[in-house]
Each structure stands twice: as structure tokens, then as C-alpha cells.
Amino acid sequence: MASSALPTVTRVLTQVVTQTVASATPSSTQRAAPQGGILEGSNPSVYDPKNPIFVFVIQAGIILIFCRLLHYPLSKLRQPRVIAEVIVGVILGPSAMGHIPGFTNAIFPATSIPNLTLVANVGLVLFLFLVGLEVDLRFLVSNWRVALTVGALGMALPFGMGCAIAYGLYNQFRDDPGTVPISFGVYMLFVAVAMAITAFPVLCRILTELKLLQTPVGVIVLSAGVSNDVVGWVLLALCVALVNAGSGLTALWVLLVCVGYVLFLTFLVRPSFLWLLRTSGSLQNGPTQSIVALTLIMVLASAFFTGVIGVHPIFGGFVIGLICPHEGGFAIKITEKVEDLVAVLFLPLYFALSGLSTNLGLLNNGITWAYVVGVVCVAFFAKVIGGTLAAKMNGLVWRESFTIGALMSCKGLVELIVLNIGLQAKILSTRTFTIFVVMALITTFATTPLTTALYPRWYQVKIEAWKRGEIDWEGNRLANDDNSTDPDETSMAKAESAEIGKILTYLRLDSMSGVLALVSLFSKPISTTAVLRVHHTKREREYGGPEESEAPDPLSGRPVQIYGLHLMELTDRASSVMRVAEIDEYTLRDPVVNTFRTFGQLRNLPVSGQVMVVPEASYATTLVDKASDVSADIMLIPWTLSGTMSEYEIEDSTNRFTNGAFSHFVLSSLLRAPCNTAIFVDNGFSNKKNAKASKSLSRTISSISTRDMQHFSTATVNKGYHIYLPYIGSDDDTAAIRLVLQLARDPSVTATIVHFELPEAILVDLRGAHDREQLSSVPAGASTKNNVHSAAYNVSADRYSGFFSTIKDSLPTALASRVLFETISSSSPYQTIMKKIKDDVEHTPNDSGDLIVLGRNSAMDTILSAGSGDGAFSSLLESDAKQGLGVLAEGILGRIPKASLLVVKSSSLR
């Protein structure tokens, strides 16, 4: 039986194996999905509901690339990024590329749109959270009167006109496909809100970029924009609730629940959140990762709640942003954690979807285009007129009022969000949605050019001077006894006799040590006599009288006032704009400005520090405007140590003078400067010994590579500074010698001032060089009279020699032991100057900081470069750097790298 059973088992096994192999054929429906991807012939561009990531990546990549490419030319016109994102969507949608056969089905198939919409809506919730963070309700409270008048009237007129045009839109397009039957009241409310709303985030960016945020126009617009934004979202929430509710009673319950939820967040959640932030230190030191996670959970939970009760989820994100505190810069710091992903990925997808839903082909008849024109006119003129009248009621002149009206007409991305909500709620058809998208694009595009034309910089300066009573309305300066002298005589007298009373210095983190060491020389010596202090409770009881006052300052004259300006780059990030809106509080927290203030207190110097957030291209203009505002006598610009405009990334010092951006900034500042300018190149001026300390890495016990800690900065009480000034004879040298003598009042300073007399042959060449000077390399907007090469060099050897002799003979006795005057005649001034400076620097004490002060002397560049020798250092400086520093500076930096340099440019004839 066993032998007969064996064949039976064999037949069964053979049958099972045969059936298994047969079931594994390519036609089998049980086969596992191919894992080889394109290697097995799969097409990633074909949408697969089980694996939608491939098509999503293709869609997102196309949208992001197109948005970046289109935004570049639009950014030159100062247009916000949302314009490019919507236009890209229009191009990719049925209005343009949708006409290409198979394009929409291949790239944007209808089955893939829900996934794209989901990601975009998540980003929209996060974006509304960022919008809520930008809205600082403290600003609304402090400016409630202007916010109420401009905001209310700025919304009332477009709201009423929106109600009027809504009647025609409702009757003309209510039967379009894609809409649901709704009452005229709800439709009217939605259209009126769409007409009245203002794009607060875009408005902030426009005000910041045009540097209007701190002007009366900016304050009024921002205050009204905050109130307009909050009221607009409340009205939109009401409209959505009315659409989603089945009856009026349900809509009432939805609104009551919303009110209760906002009160719950305000009076219970916010205090608890603040307590947690203070306890964890996140309010003072920035949010931890756990706090960021908690905040995002609150955003998503709030969005979920407002969505399920019948209001759009974006309102949940918005209210969480509103309750987040601004104290300690928390709102700015939490924005920095989230904004890049939202702005770079999520928002382009959302607004591109708006464009995909836009079909310009539906604007195909006269009545439709008539409504396009009507909607644009109502949205624009109603906002402009309402904002203008409200501003005029607040005491502004007509031109300022029109500027406020033009700014309030900006629709931007907030309008597009409103329209998308209306499209999703089926309040708007695709046709009416397209009409309103065209309106949003036109009004947003027109805001910046109109504002620039109505409120240019020259008009801002004029209106401020008029309000201060300095000029009449025609621009004529009012009579003033101080201005009776000739301007040229006044400027020359100032250059030759006036002491420096006010200094504006550009603060940079990488050059702080050198700048502080240099400006410390302007401080009055602190008395070495100790003042005995007496406890206030013992003063009358034991000593019978008040505490003795400190000894009077032995130096006469007013102290030098030093203004520090820390410039930070304005980017298109929301956090950057928020810094501008909260600039006063941010200045109090800025470590660079706080270091500068503390230094002033320690050195008995009156100092003032400020932070300004401006575009990098406006650094020079901002610095010059500030110098003019504070009436500075000299503007101090430290050269970068990092080699770039960035003050944080320390790079190879050999690249310091080859960065075109920073060199252009310095040159532009020179061209526009309303006062004397000094360019400071720090080569260890504050601490020469430690400047040469080893920076090698060493291995420690903890296996961490750290800097060598064997070199310490010791306090040397008697450490001094030595200044060397080659005086050739020019207006720049005149300003330089005055500066050196003022620095030499510090007891720790010694100075060598050498007059290099030029032979008559060189003077003749100098006259010819001055006559041939051409206006070259002048940045856009700079006046030709401010050109570095147009200092009107006066080749008058007798005049400048006489000035040198006068200064030498009138030297105060207190400076006689520390200041040395010499006179040298040379037929080759360049080589003589280089040799003399090198010898003088090499013979100074090792613990002193060497500073070489040069007059810019641009007219002498041709003569000096001709005698510079083999040109070994002719390529050391980039073109703009050479124009700013000059030929002498280039030679010194190449031959004497251990000495610091101060190049002085006079403004006596500007």
C-alpha cells in the first residue's frame, strides 16, 4: 500500500506546482505591483490614486519654477510675489496652456486636483496663522482714533457701492453653472466684503519697501489696515456661515459658537499659553521645538474646530495667530520657524490653483466686459475716495490723503483667498470668479506705482520741513539769521575750523571692536579722582549734609554725540516685515545696538543707537538720509571684515576688497554724503597683539575641536595709539588734519603729520588731471556734483601750505609733546610717502594701535599711480573699492597690512 500511495502524493504535488506556476503569468491579476518603476516600464506622469506623489511632484515643480521665473522681472517693478503666482496659474490653466491638446489631462488631471488642493489648503491655514501673527493689536489700540475713522470710512464707501453692483452681478450671472441657489442678501454681503477688504500682508510689504512705515502716511495706513483686516475676516466668516447654514437660526448658532470660541481663546487659552511661554523661557529666548510643535497643534486644532462648526478652517488659524504674544519678539521668532515652507511651497500652489480656476475665455461678450470694468472701477475708486476723505478728516494734506487712498485700494492675496472661498462655497461661478481675479490683479499691480508717484521721497522731505515751519509751501526757506552767510563760505569755514560734534557710524557686528576703539578716542577723559559715595540713609545723620558732587569735567566744550545705525536687510519674509513694524522694541533687544549703548556709558560718551530694516540696495541711501537727519559732521563707515555685505559670515580676509556689493555700497555713500565721510579699514586697531594670535584648532579631552584658548586679551592701562597723516594739500587733507588733531586730544594718542611738498611740475600735471576728470561710475540717482572725482580740487600750494603752517603754529601746548609736524619735499611723492609711513609704523611700540589717516585726494590718483612703481598691488582692490579708497590706500594695504586705515573725504564744496 505504501508503494501505491507514493505515486499518488507525487501526482498531487506536481499538480499544485503546475497550478502555482500557471497563476504567476503576466496576465494574472494577483501579481504584486511592479517595484522597478521606470525600469519596468511604468510611467510616473500617469496619475495613480494609490501613489499620487509622482504627479504631485511634477505639478509642484512646474508651478514653483514658473513662479520664480516670472517673479524676477515683476520684482523689478516692485510687484508682490502673489501677482506672479496667480499669473502662472492663469498661464497653466484653461486660459492659455489649457488650449494645448492633452496638456491639462497630462499635467493637471481632474483626479489629481483634490491632492493638490489638500496641500494648498494646509498651507493656507498656516498662512492665515502668519497673517494673525503680523496683526499687532497693540498698534490698533494705540492709534484707535485714526484706525476707526480711516478704516470705517475706507470700508463703508466700497461696501455700499459693492452692494449696488452686486444687484447687477446677481441677476446677470446667478444661473451660471457651478453655483448653488442662494439669497440675494448673502450674495450681496459676499460681493460687498470682496470690494471693501484690504490686503494687510501685501500692504505691510509695500510700506516697508518704500520706507513709509514710520511716516504719518504709514502709521495711518497700518492702523486702518489692521482694523480693516479684522473686520473683513469677521464679515467673511458671517457670510460663509450664512451660506453653509440650512436656516437663519442655524447661522445664528454658528455665529454664537464663534463668539464663544474667540472669548475662550482670549480669556482662557491665551493666559495659559503666556504662562507656559514664561515658564519654559520661550518668551525670552525664543520658542523651543516643543513650543513650536504645541503652537502648530493649536493652529490645526483651531482650524478643525472652525471648519466643523460651519466656518472655514482658515479662521481657526487666524485667531490663533491673533492670540500669540508679541512680547519679547515671540511672534517674530515663531514666524521665522514656519514662514519659508509656507511662502516657498504652499502659497504658490494655492494661488496657482486660483489661476487654474480662472478662465479668461469666459469673458466673451460685451456685458461681461462691462462688468469687468465696473467691478474694477468700484473696487478702486471707492477705496481711494473713502480712504482719501477719511485721511483729510485727520488733518493731512490732499496729496498725503490720496496716497493713503491708493494704498488702501490694494487687494492682493487676501482678496484672492476671499474669492477662492466664494468659489468653493459656490457663491461665485467661474465667470464671476474670473472677473474678480482680474480686478484683484489690476488693483494690486497699480498700488506701488501710484504710491511712488503720489508720495516720492522729495515730497516727503518737503512736507516734513513745511510742517516744522522751516519752509513755506512753495519750498522757499523762511528767513533765518543763521543762514545769512554765503553757503560756500559757510561750508569752507566748517571744513577748516569747526570741530566734530556729531558722528554717525554704521554699526556692523564683524567690525564692532575696531569701531568702538576708534570712537572711544572722542570721549572726554574720566577723572581719576575717586568720588566717595555715602549711603543715602547715613548722609544726613552722620555727615550732616548732602553728598559731595563729582569734580567738574576738566575739558571744556560740548561732548561729541555719536549716532549708531545698525542696518538689517529687508527680505520678502514676513518676519522681516514684522521687525520693521515693531522696530522700536526690536532696537531695544538688538545685541549690536545694546553693546554700543553700554560702551557709551562706560566711556562717558553720549551715544544713540537705532536699527533700520531696509533692502540691501537702499543701505547707502538710508545711511546718507540718517546723516542728514541728525546733522552729522562726519559719517564713519567701517570696511567689512567678512568680505561681503553680511556681517556674520567670517571669510578669508584676502577677499575683503574684492566684493563688488560692499564696495558699491561704500562708493554710493561717498557720492551722496551730505557731510565729511571716513572709511575705516580695521587691521587690529583695537588689539594688535591679539590680532596676531594663533587661530589653529586643537584637540581637547572632550574630543571637541575648539579654538586655542591660550591667548587672552589683557587689560593694558597704558596702551596707546599712533596716528600717521601724510598731508599733500587738498580739501580732503584739511578735513583729515582737523580730525587727527581732535583724536590726539586723547592722552593715549600720538600723531605724526607730514607735509609732502610737491614740485611745480607735478602741480602742473595735477591741474591737467583735474581738468580732464570725467564723471564715471556714478550710481543711478547720484547727483553729479557729489561725484568722488568732482571735489573741485583747488591746486593752490600756497593756500594749503599756509593752512598747514597755521595749524602747526597754533598747536595747543597740551598736544606739543604728542604731535609731531614735519615737512618733506619730494619729486616722487608716492614712493616717499610709502617709505615714510612704513618706517614710522615699524618704529612705533608693539602694544600700540597704528592708524594711517589719508585724505581721499581723488584728483591726485593719476599722478600717484604713475609713480607707484611695478604695480604689484594694482589688482588688490576691486574697481569700486579703488574709487572709494584711492591709490594711496591701495598701496598701504598691500605694503603695510598690519596698520589700520582711515580714508577721509571732505564735503566742503558739495
Side-chain angles (χ1 to χ4, degrees):
M1 292 182 62
S3 59
S4 62
L6 183 59
T8 304
V9 174
T10 302
R11 285 195 301 271
V12 172
L13 290 175
T14 302
Q15 185 177 4
V16 171
V17 172
T18 302
Q19 292 176 352
T20 303
V21 173
S23 64
T25 60
S27 61
S28 173
T29 59
Q30 303 299 321
R31 186 189 179 198
Q35 300 299 313
I38 59 175
L39 299 179
E40 292 188 6
S42 64
N43 186 357
S45 64
V46 176
Y47 179 73
D48 182 5
K50 297 180 180 178
N51 202 7
I53 184 64
F54 300 123
V55 172
F56 174 80
V57 169
I58 294 173
Q59 294 169 339
I62 291 175
I63 291 173
L64 296 181
I65 292 172
F66 273 61
C67 286
R68 291 288 167 173
L69 291 176
L70 185 58
H71 176 64
Y72 178 76
L74 290 176
S75 65
K76 303 303 180 182
L77 302 176
R78 293 183 170 182
Q79 294 303 318
R81 192 180 303 277
V82 64
I83 296 288
E85 292 166 353
V86 176
I87 292 177
V88 165
V90 173
I91 294 174
L92 296 176
S95 301
M97 299 184 72
H99 292 289
I100 301 175
F103 176 81
T104 302
N105 291 332
I107 305 300
F108 297 102
T111 52
S112 70
I113 297 300
N115 295 319
L116 199 60
T117 303
L118 174 62
V119 176
N121 283 330
V122 171
L124 185 63
V125 170
L126 294 176
F127 173 72
L128 264 294
F129 166 65
L130 296 179
V131 172
L133 288 173
E134 283 191 66
V135 176
D136 191 350
L137 295 179
R138 298 174 302 175
F139 197 84
L140 176 61
V141 173
S142 60
N143 300 277
W144 67 270
R145 188 183 302 275
V146 66
L148 182 63
T149 54
V150 177
L153 189 55
M155 286 194 74
L157 186 59
F159 192 92
M161 296 185 68
C163 291
I165 199 171
Y167 180 80
L169 290 169
Y170 180 78
N171 290 287
Q172 182 68 35
F173 303 113
R174 64 178 175 180
D175 295 328
D176 282 358
T179 58
V180 295
I182 57 174
S183 65
F184 171 70
V186 176
Y187 189 88
M188 179 187 69
L189 177 62
F190 180 85
V191 172
V193 170
M195 292 293 185
I197 203 165
T198 296
F200 179 75
V202 175
L203 197 59
C204 286
R205 283 156 180 77
I206 293 174
L207 290 172
T208 303
E209 185 175 346
L210 299 181
K211 293 189 284 189
L212 298 177
L213 210 53
Q214 305 301 322
T215 65
V217 168
V219 172
I220 291 176
V221 169
L222 197 63
S223 303
V226 171
S227 62
N228 201 316
D229 199 49
V230 174
V231 173
W233 288 117
V234 170
L235 292 177
L236 185 61
L238 172 63
C239 183
V240 173
L242 291 173
V243 172
N244 293 335
S247 63
L249 182 61
T250 304
L252 177 61
W253 279 111
V254 170
L255 292 178
L256 291 176
V257 171
C258 283
V259 172
Y261 178 63
V262 172
L263 295 176
F264 168 75
L265 291 177
T266 303
F267 295 106
L268 184 61
V269 174
R270 189 175 190 275
S272 303
F273 190 49
L274 275 172
W275 174 84
L276 178 61
L277 294 178
R278 291 193 179 98
T279 303
S280 63
S282 295
L283 200 61
Q284 300 82 11
N285 306 319
T288 63
Q289 193 176 66
S290 299
I291 292 297
V292 174
L294 175 62
T295 306
L296 293 180
I297 291 173
M298 291 169 57
V299 171
L300 296 177
S302 181
F304 170 80
F305 180 79
T306 56
V308 297
I309 64 173
V311 185
H312 201 283
I314 64 173
F315 299 103
F318 179 71
V319 293
I320 294 297
L322 284 179
I323 69 170
C324 283
H326 287 253
E327 292 82 358
F330 177 81
I332 297 177
K333 294 170 184 174
I334 199 72
T335 300
E336 292 174 339
K337 306 292 184 182
V338 182
E339 60 183 344
D340 280 349
L341 184 62
V342 174
V344 173
L345 178 61
F346 290 134
L347 278 187
L349 298 183
Y350 183 83
F351 293 118
L353 280 175
S354 300
L356 289 173
S357 302
T358 303
N359 189 354
L360 297 177
L362 296 177
L363 309 179
N364 53 6
N365 54 56
I367 189 64
T368 303
W369 277 106
Y371 274 107
V372 170
V373 175
V375 167
V376 171
C377 290
V378 167
F380 179 75
F381 288 108
K383 291 291 287 186
V384 170
I385 294 173
T388 300
L389 294 178
K392 187 62 179 175
M393 291 170 56
N394 280 275
L396 275 72
V397 299
W398 279 111
R399 192 159 181 170
E400 288 179 314
S401 301
F402 276 116
T403 304
I404 291 175
L407 286 166
M408 294 299 292
S409 69
C410 180
K411 299 298 183 184
L413 48 85
V414 173
E415 177 74 13
L416 293 168
I417 294 172
V418 171
L419 297 179
N420 275 280
I421 292 175
L423 184 64
Q424 294 171 7
K426 298 185 178 181
I427 300 174
L428 300 178
S429 65
T430 304
R431 189 194 305 269
T432 50
F433 176 79
T434 302
I435 292 174
F436 279 91
V437 167
V438 172
M439 176 270 291
L441 290 175
I442 292 175
T443 53
T444 305
F445 194 92
T447 302
T448 300
L450 276 175
T451 304
T452 305
L454 288 170
Y455 205 58
R457 177 60 185 169
W458 66 265
Y459 184 79
Q460 299 174 39
V461 174
K462 173 186 174 181
I463 200 69
E464 289 172 3
W466 177 73
K467 289 180 178 179
R468 291 194 301 264
E470 297 176 0
I471 61 174
D472 59 21
W473 185 247
E474 285 71 27
N476 301 315
R477 188 166 294 276
L478 300 179
N480 191 334
D481 295 338
D482 295 337
N483 297 329
S484 58
T485 58
D486 181 63
D488 291 339
E489 294 180 1
T490 302
S491 60
M492 180 61 72
K494 182 177 180 180
E496 294 189 351
S497 63
E499 293 183 356
I500 294 175
K502 294 180 180 180
I503 301 174
L504 174 68
T505 179
Y506 170 39
L507 299 179
R508 290 176 55 89
L509 183 62
D510 60 352
S511 56
M512 278 293 289
S513 59
V515 169
L516 295 183
L518 180 61
V519 300
S520 68
L521 302 181
F522 289 96
S523 63
K524 290 187 176 182
I526 301 175
S527 175
T528 56
T529 304
V531 179
L532 297 178
R533 309 291 295 183
V534 179
H535 194 278
H536 64 278
T537 60
K538 300 180 179 182
R539 194 174 299 155
E540 297 290 340
R541 184 175 68 249
E542 299 185 15
Y543 293 89
E547 179 181 356
E548 293 186 3
S549 60
E550 296 184 4
D553 196 324
L555 297 180
S556 60
R558 62 191 176 103
V560 177
Q561 300 175 357
I562 304 179
Y563 299 85
L565 182 61
H566 185 203
L567 297 177
M568 302 185 68
E569 183 182 6
L570 173 66
T571 65
D572 54 1
R573 289 184 169 92
S575 57
S576 182
V577 178
M578 292 169 68
R579 287 192 188 96
V580 182
E582 303 177 20
I583 195 64
D584 293 334
E585 290 186 13
Y586 192 82
T587 298
L588 296 176
R589 300 191 304 267
D590 185 67
V592 174
V593 172
N594 284 334
T595 300
F596 184 66
R597 290 198 187 104
T598 303
F599 168 80
Q601 295 173 358
L602 296 176
R603 294 293 302 183
N604 196 28
L605 271 172
V607 300
S608 174
Q610 182 181 2
V611 177
M612 295 191 73
V613 184
V614 296
E616 189 176 285
S618 301
Y619 274 20
T621 304
T622 303
L623 194 64
V624 168
D625 289 345
K626 188 63 179 179
S628 179
D629 291 341
V630 302
S631 301
D633 299 312
I634 191 168
M635 190 165 62
L636 178 62
I637 304 176
W639 199 274
T640 174
L641 293 181
S642 64
T644 65
M645 289 297 294
S646 172
E647 54 187 303
Y648 301 104
E649 300 176 3
I650 303 299
E651 299 180 1
D652 187 358
S653 60
T654 58
N655 297 325
R656 290 178 65 185
F657 305 101
T658 58
N659 183 268
F662 189 85
S663 301
H664 184 74
F665 154 69
V666 173
L667 183 60
S668 299
S669 301
L670 281 175
L671 299 177
R672 297 175 170 88
C675 59
N676 293 348
T677 306
I679 306 171
F680 178 48
V681 181
D682 181 19
N683 287 320
F685 179 71
S686 60
N687 199 342
K688 183 192 291 186
K689 281 186 174 181
N690 289 325
K692 298 185 288 186
S694 171
K695 293 184 180 180
S696 59
L697 295 178
S698 61
R699 179 72 64 180
T700 63
I701 297 176
S702 62
S703 301
I704 300 176
S705 295
T706 59
R707 295 287 183 187
D708 191 351
M709 301 299 292
Q710 298 178 7
H711 302 279
F712 296 90
S713 178
T714 57
T716 54
V717 177
N718 296 321
K719 178 185 175 180
Y721 300 94
H722 182 70
I723 301 176
Y724 187 93
L725 169 63
Y727 180 88
I728 301 176
S730 68
D731 293 332
D732 296 340
D733 286 342
T734 297
I737 198 171
R738 286 291 182 185
L739 173 61
V740 169
L741 291 178
Q742 190 164 350
L743 292 174
R745 294 180 182 179
D746 190 287
S748 64
V749 174
T750 59
T752 301
I753 304 175
V754 181
H755 181 201
F756 290 89
E757 294 183 336
L758 305 179
E760 182 62 26
I762 292 182
L763 292 178
V764 172
D765 291 339
L766 280 175
R767 292 188 186 98
H770 175 260
D771 293 338
R772 293 190 303 269
E773 280 184 344
Q774 301 296 323
L775 301 178
S776 59
S777 304
V778 181
S783 173
T784 56
K785 69 179 181 180
N786 292 338
N787 189 268
V788 171
H789 296 294
S790 62
Y793 178 76
N794 187 358
V795 188
S796 176
D798 293 339
R799 174 185 171 225
Y800 292 119
S801 297
F803 174 76
F804 181 83
S805 299
T806 301
I807 290 293
K808 178 180 178 180
D809 296 338
S810 61
L811 185 70
T813 305
L815 299 181
S817 62
R818 292 186 282 110
V819 179
L820 173 66
F821 286 90
E822 295 182 7
T823 301
I824 297 177
S825 298
S826 174
S827 59
S828 55
Y830 183 89
Q831 300 294 345
T832 305
I833 291 174
M834 289 297 129
K835 183 177 185 304
K836 184 65 179 175
I837 293 177
K838 189 172 183 180
D839 293 342
D840 194 82
V841 169
E842 288 178 350
H843 287 84
T844 55
N846 292 330
D847 63 344
S848 66
D850 297 312
L851 180 64
I852 301 172
V853 180
L854 302 174
R856 173 61 188 85
N857 299 330
S858 59
M860 299 183 182
D861 279 354
T862 303
I863 305 301
L864 293 175
S865 60
S868 61
D870 56 7
F873 306 103
S874 60
S875 61
L876 177 65
L877 303 185
E878 186 265 340
S879 175
D880 284 346
K882 183 177 293 187
Q883 290 189 56
L885 296 175
V887 172
L888 274 180
E890 184 178 36
I892 292 171
L893 292 172
R895 290 174 170 82
I896 316 173
K898 71 174 184 177
S900 298
L901 191 64
L902 192 68
V903 180
V904 180
K905 182 76 181 90
S906 171
S907 67
S908 59
L909 292 180
R910 293 189 178 193

